[in-house]
Amino acid sequence: QVQVVESGGGLVQAGGSLRLSCTASGFPFDDYAMGWFRQAPGKEREGVSSISWSGNNTFYTAPVKGRFTISRDNTKNTVYLQMDSLKPEDTATYYCAAGRIRFGDPLEPKEYNFWGQGTQVTVSS
């Protein structure tokens, strides 16, 4: 049974930091790229960051470049998203997902097969 579980969300003031974690099971974790996505109320789900199965390649959407860092530990079946210098516009539900991406866009939700339930991140001004 596939499970993808996010944790680490919460309420933080602008300029603060949060570290999201995502632990997965039920599929060969180190064969899958892992991505973080977010969805704010009334908006479409957008790709935030992605990391290749090996961890050698990372991708970020422009608004978070230089502030967010994605990493993974294949020995723990876990991917992380370190979020620094948070802004109110980062407020959203953050989702973790797994996908076997070969040639597609690593920040495109349609490329991902397994999804978590999401964790809320709220940044106050």
Side-chain angles (χ1 to χ4, degrees):
Q1 181 181 359
V2 171
Q3 285 192 316
V4 179
V5 181
E6 305 96 337
S7 62
L11 173 64
V12 64
Q13 288 188 331
S17 297
L18 282 174
R19 188 194 197 203
L20 304 184
S21 299
C22 169
T23 301
S25 61
F27 61 94
F29 184 79
D30 53 9
D31 279 353
Y32 281 71
M34 298 298 295
W36 286 99
F37 298 81
R38 66 186 180 186
Q39 188 167 18
K43 294 188 177 181
E44 291 188 358
R45 189 169 299 189
E46 64 169 344
V48 175
S49 182
S50 175
I51 187 166
S52 63
W53 63 271
S54 65
N56 289 339
N57 298 299
T58 58
F59 307 89
Y60 299 92
T61 188
V64 309
K65 281 182 180 178
R67 300 190 296 121
F68 291 10
T69 303
I70 191 170
S71 61
R72 67 188 292 160
D73 184 343
N74 287 348
T75 67
K76 297 181 179 179
N77 282 17
T78 300
V79 61
Y80 306 96
L81 186 68
Q82 177 67 41
M83 305 187 295
D84 299 319
S85 303
L86 282 161
K87 303 176 180 180
E89 51 263 44
D90 294 318
T91 295
T93 300
Y94 282 70
Y95 298 89
C96 176
R100 245 175 178 166
I101 302 171
R102 294 296 178 261
F103 304 107
D105 180 354
L107 295 181
E108 172 54 55
K110 294 179 181 179
E111 296 290 338
Y112 290 79
N113 309 102
F114 308 130
W115 290 83
Q117 294 299 308
T119 185
Q120 178 66 35
V121 171
T122 302
V123 184
S124 63
S125 56

